[in-house]
Amino acid sequence: MLLFCIILALSALLTGLIRRYALSNQVLDIPNQRSSHSVPTPRGGGLAIVLGFCAAGLWLFATAQLGWERLAMLAAALPVAAVGFWDDHGGVAARWRFAIHLLAAAIAVGLLQGLPPLLIPAPFDAVLGRRFADPGWLGYPLAILFLVWALNLFNFMDGIDGIAASEAIFVGLALAGYLLYIDRALFALAAGLAAASAGFLCWNWPKAKIFMGDVGSGFVGLVLGLLILLAAQQAAVLLYCGLILFGLFVVDASYTLAYRLCSGQQWYAAHCSHTYQHAAKRYGHLPVLCACWAINLGWLLPCSAWAFWHPSHALAALAAAYLPLLFLAFRFRAGRSGFVVS
């Protein structure tokens, strides 16, 4: 609790300093037709999350609560933050960003040694006659793909005030709750990420005084993906729990991308057609952010708890968590440039 409070206060202080720096150096997010905001706003505040989380990790390492292997694994996310910082200040070609993302994920997975054994939930456990499957060499590309996707989820979904920081707080604290009696070091790391995100959210809550920027969104996405994989090493069911907790971002981004691909749109082009963006245009940032918190706490958290306490039901819990979110994406016409709720 003391570490949580210190990191929260440090992150809030750093965000204020970074905002002053961004205003002085014109590091601003200028509104355009794809934006969800209407006035130029400082960006790059996610650097405070990076620094706050690094402080937590170094303190855990210095007090012998965190091994060097895990520290090195988490440090693989720093190049992602660096290229994001550069991009916030002037733009980096997409191919170079992707190369750095891929390299960082590959280094982390190499240290992680691929995916942990995968839980086989009902009814497939009865069919296959076993409860776990070792992915072997296939675990390496699958884990890299998962981390790159988790990283980009935050880049895609960081589009309205408070949403990305809120997701980091929710997933981080929920994972910390599951890890409390399983792995104290991972518990402290997950709580530290939530604390750093909470300090930033003090400035990013609607109406936002500063945006996270790529420096924070990519870093947070990769670290959360890593924490989920590390947690799954300790208890295989936590992979399902993590996917459920991440559901709001996973479903919205995946549905939107799939629709844009299938409809022949330039899926890689910047756009403003996610479910949450359409909803924000109609209802405003704060109501949508509160709705996200309600979905996370009232639906996804109970579904993940169901999977955690009944691992054989993990697949059913995952399906139950995602189906209403898919309906919302369909209802709000995610992936389409126009917005009409039928």
Side-chain angles (χ1 to χ4, degrees):
M1 183 59 68
L2 178 61
L3 176 64
F4 186 94
C5 293
I6 291 173
I7 296 302
L8 191 156
L10 176 64
S11 177
L13 175 62
L14 288 171
T15 304
L17 294 175
I18 293 166
R19 181 175 183 272
R20 181 177 296 182
Y21 162 83
L23 288 170
S24 299
N25 292 272
Q26 294 297 299
V27 184
L28 303 174
D29 200 313
I30 307 299
N32 54 47
Q33 66 272 21
R34 300 185 182 96
S35 302
S36 297
H37 62 290
S38 57
V39 297
T41 304
R43 64 184 176 187
L47 180 60
I49 301 177
V50 177
L51 296 175
F53 180 75
C54 287
L58 289 173
W59 184 84
L60 291 169
F61 178 73
T63 55
Q65 298 179 64
L66 184 69
W68 71 266
E69 298 93 343
R70 284 179 171 177
L71 183 68
M73 197 182 306
L74 294 167
L78 290 177
V80 174
V83 75
F85 181 82
W86 185 11
D87 195 40
D88 288 335
H89 280 70
V92 179
R95 63 181 181 276
W96 294 114
R97 291 201 309 271
F98 181 74
I100 295 296
H101 295 171
L102 195 62
L103 178 62
I107 292 172
V109 170
L111 294 168
L112 188 67
Q113 297 184 351
L115 280 176
L118 301 175
L119 173 69
I120 303 174
F124 301 104
D125 55 348
V127 174
L128 298 175
R130 53 180 176 167
R131 293 197 63 194
F132 297 94
D134 185 355
W137 66 267
L138 190 59
Y140 285 84
L142 287 177
I144 291 171
L145 181 63
F146 172 75
L147 290 181
V148 171
W149 182 232
L151 186 163
N152 282 283
L153 282 179
F154 266 76
N155 280 333
F156 296 156
M157 298 293 291
D158 181 26
I160 65 170
D161 299 350
I163 192 170
S166 292
E167 187 74 357
I169 294 167
F170 168 70
V171 178
L173 287 181
L175 274 179
Y178 292 133
L179 289 164
L180 179 58
Y181 297 108
I182 298 175
D183 189 311
R184 295 303 292 272
L186 288 182
F187 158 78
L189 284 171
L193 182 63
S197 301
F200 167 75
L201 186 61
C202 295
W203 294 85
N204 187 235
W205 188 262
K207 188 173 185 179
K209 298 178 179 63
I210 188 170
F211 294 156
M212 184 179 291
D214 287 347
V215 62
S217 60
F219 178 87
V220 171
L222 183 57
V223 168
L224 273 178
L226 270 172
L227 289 175
I228 290 172
L229 293 182
L230 285 167
Q233 283 186 332
Q234 307 305 312
V237 71
L238 287 177
L239 178 61
Y240 291 88
C241 294
L243 290 173
I244 291 170
L245 295 169
F246 230 148
L248 206 61
F249 277 27
V250 170
V251 173
D252 193 349
S254 301
Y255 183 100
T256 302
L257 178 61
Y259 186 91
R260 288 171 61 80
L261 277 169
C262 294
S263 61
Q265 300 179 58
Q266 288 185 323
W267 59 271
Y268 51 85
H271 64 94
C272 192
S273 61
H274 287 282
T275 305
Y276 76 92
Q277 289 171 324
H278 284 328
K281 289 176 185 176
R282 183 178 178 92
Y283 302 111
H285 288 215
L286 184 56
V288 172
L289 180 59
C290 292
C292 290
W293 272 106
I295 291 169
N296 281 335
L297 295 173
W299 184 245
L300 296 180
L301 185 59
C303 285
S304 72
W306 173 23
F308 182 75
W309 293 112
H310 303 281
S312 62
H313 298 171
L315 192 59
L318 183 65
Y322 280 14
L323 283 174
L325 301 179
L326 286 168
F327 173 76
L328 283 175
F330 171 78
R331 172 79 171 172
F332 280 89
R333 297 191 172 190
R336 305 187 192 187
S337 55
F339 171 66
V340 179
V341 176
S342 57

